[in-house]
Amino acid sequence: MMRELKGVFWASALVATTANTTALVKDGFLLDISEVNANDLVIAVCADSEATAGGALEAAARLLFSSGNDPGIGAPAVEADLLSALKTRPLANVAVISVPGEYATLEAQKALTAGLHVFIFSDNVPIADEIALKRRALELGRLVMGPGAGTALFGGAGLGFANRLTEGPVGVVAASGTGAQEVASLLDRWGVGISHIIGVGGRDMSDEVGGLGVEAAIRALDADDRTRAILLVSKPSSSEVAERLVLVPNKPMVAALIGLERPLATNRSGVTVCDTLEGGAVEMLRLLGKSSPDPAVSYIDTLVAAAERLPVGRKRLVGLFSGGTLCYEVMTVAARFLGPIYSNIPIDKRWSLGDAPPGSHICLDLGEEEYTKGNPHPVIDAAARLELLERQANDPSVAAVVLDVILGDGAHHDPAGVLAPAADRIVRSGVAVIVHVLGTPRDPQGLAAQCKRFEDVGCIVTASATRAALAGAALVLRDPALAGPLRTT
């Protein structure tokens, strides 16, 4: 809100942790660190004048601390703590925790003691704390979603980043926030609704955590009358944990396990396993007796034209992602054609970003801590990728840039308005830009309008991350046929 005011260059509301306040002082803000602590909220504004900064601060204060009676503000009063909030909202049964990671565990324990399910948006929580929280939740008959849970949906009410979905028979369990959004949005656009989404955090299916949250979520959906089938989604995970979890439900299940290293050793009927998000959505359609989407792709002509324009020396793929799971999906699919793709979240430990030789294909998850510490997440701040995006226009080795654009509640109100002008400049420089817009027609940003903004400046707009990966590989290899068929492996 503050950043949208004319004359405001940067603004943020931050918990006054040592890391956040130190970063503010380093950036030139006049703040006496000795006068604040982690119980304080700091609102910081950089603007073209003192008057503009003051106006931004006043707007933030009205939004945060209004009584909720002002229809022009629409924000409830800020409660002092969890117990105070429960007194004013006695019917609440879920607590959303979004504080710096070092404080999240205590707040989550308080919520469990109060009898609540817990959705932990915070990351940087020690894995030992995650295990302890989830074990206690099992004893209490509660769900702990997270840490690092990006999305959830219960009876149409979204938590975190959430798309607007039609109600239907598929329950999604996700050790992956954007992975859940991807499969749910694809199913929604293909005519299949969602009963619930339970996001449990990206580490849940590791050997250390052992799928504690996933198992609890599967059992909850197995007992839910509105859920006919379960779609399990995960980033690269432990095969041993996955083999055990797919045996848990009585209901039919599709497991979309990105980057699955080997086939699962299970022959249980009613379970289908695949290694891409799009493949998971397509297999769910088949399970429900629905027709698969038309494999024809609307962007093939744009892709062919882009391939013809590419100078011979451009041979690199670069991906700049706001969704970590979408980054994994693109790397998993594109690497089948291009070989190693280096990343800050590599699918193979040998392909870590620091080991990338000159001329390597690179995909970055810009939602990771090294990019977001002291800064808004790129799903919220569409401008977070501009500098890296525009840098590609000056790199003569880059053939194609892949971007994800995530719509829905909690996301930037008009990401195309920020990113499309930059994409236009890159396309004009000779680099192809591939954009996957994740969303549904009911999302507040407008799916069709967002796609059109990118198409109008010559971007190749794809319907899924899998197709974005195929389009990128097709451009690098100058083989447009790679992007034609729908791949569901």
Side-chain angles (χ1 to χ4, degrees), residues 151-159 162-166 194-199:
T151 189
L153 182 83
F154 296 102
L159 302 177
N163 300 99
R164 298 184 182 181
L165 304 163
T166 54
I194 305 298
S195 59
H196 309 285
I197 298 174
I198 305 177

Side-chain angles (χ1 to χ4, degrees), residues 1 96 156 182 246-247 256 303 354 407 431 441 445:
M1 174 185 173
V96 177
E182 173 83 336
V246 297
L247 299 177
L303 188 145
L407 309 182
V431 180
Q445 297 86 351

Side-chain angles (χ1 to χ4, degrees), residues 106-417:
L106 177 59
E107 297 305 317
Q109 292 285 15
K110 290 179 183 177
L112 287 174
T113 299
L116 302 173
H117 301 289
V118 185
F119 179 87
I120 308 175
F121 191 77
S122 310
D123 55 12
N124 300 312
V125 175
I127 196 165
D129 289 1
E130 176 175 352
I131 294 168
L133 284 167
K134 288 179 174 175
R135 285 178 174 167
R136 186 176 181 221
L138 288 174
E139 294 172 358
L140 296 172
R142 295 291 180 266
L143 293 172
V144 165
M145 296 162 275
T151 189
L153 182 83
F154 296 102
L159 302 177
F161 301 122
N163 300 99
R164 298 184 182 181
L165 304 163
T166 54
E167 186 175 346
V170 177
V172 178
V173 178
S176 154
T178 48
Q181 290 183 265
E182 173 83 336
V183 296
S185 294
L186 287 174
L187 288 172
D188 182 274
R189 298 203 306 266
W190 295 340
V192 174
I194 305 298
S195 59
H196 309 285
I197 298 174
I198 305 177
V200 297
R203 298 183 305 200
D204 194 86
M205 289 183 64
S206 64
D207 284 317
E208 294 88 344
V209 182
L212 290 169
V214 167
E215 181 169 354
I218 290 173
R219 293 191 186 283
L221 291 178
D222 217 28
D224 178 62
D225 292 339
R226 287 182 288 184
T227 301
R228 286 175 45 202
I230 298 171
L231 178 50
L232 171 62
V233 177
S234 177
K235 298 176 181 178
S237 62
S238 163
S239 296
E240 289 74 16
V241 172
E243 283 172 346
R244 177 173 56 80
L245 292 173
V246 297
L247 299 177
V248 171
N250 295 309
K251 292 177 179 177
M253 169 183 277
V254 173
L257 309 176
I258 299 175
L260 189 64
E261 293 181 354
R262 60 174 175 79
L264 296 188
T266 177
N267 57 3
R268 191 204 124 177
S269 61
V271 175
T272 302
V273 180
C274 52
D275 65 354
T276 67
L277 298 170
E278 185 178 86
V282 171
E283 290 298 334
M284 181 56 72
L285 287 179
R286 292 174 180 166
L287 188 154
L288 296 173
K290 305 285 186 179
S291 300
S292 296
D294 188 337
V297 288
S298 60
Y299 55 82
I300 195 70
D301 291 339
T302 308
L303 188 145
V304 170
E308 291 174 348
R309 289 196 306 268
L310 276 176
V312 175
R314 293 188 178 274
K315 298 181 179 180
R316 283 208 307 130
L317 178 72
V318 174
L320 303 174
F321 295 90
S322 57
T325 310
L326 302 181
C327 184
Y328 278 124
E329 177 97 334
V330 168
M331 290 191 293
T332 297
V333 175
R336 295 170 183 166
F337 304 95
L338 303 179
I341 298 177
Y342 292 81
S343 177
N344 60 331
I345 55 165
I347 55 175
D348 186 313
K349 62 183 178 182
R350 298 170 298 173
W351 302 350
S352 295
L353 191 60
D355 299 325
S360 299
H361 307 296
I362 290 175
C363 286
L364 300 177
D365 174 14
L366 300 179
E368 284 289 287
E369 181 187 357
E370 62 263 36
Y371 295 103
T372 60
K373 200 165 187 176
N375 297 298
H377 193 282
V379 173
I380 300 170
D381 180 12
R385 287 183 281 182
L386 284 179
E387 181 181 350
L388 281 171
L389 179 58
E390 299 202 13
R391 193 182 300 171
Q392 309 314 312
N394 299 318
D395 187 333
S397 68
V398 176
V401 177
V402 180
L403 298 174
D404 62 339
V405 174
I406 298 174
L407 309 182
D409 294 313
H412 190 276
H413 72 282
D414 181 21

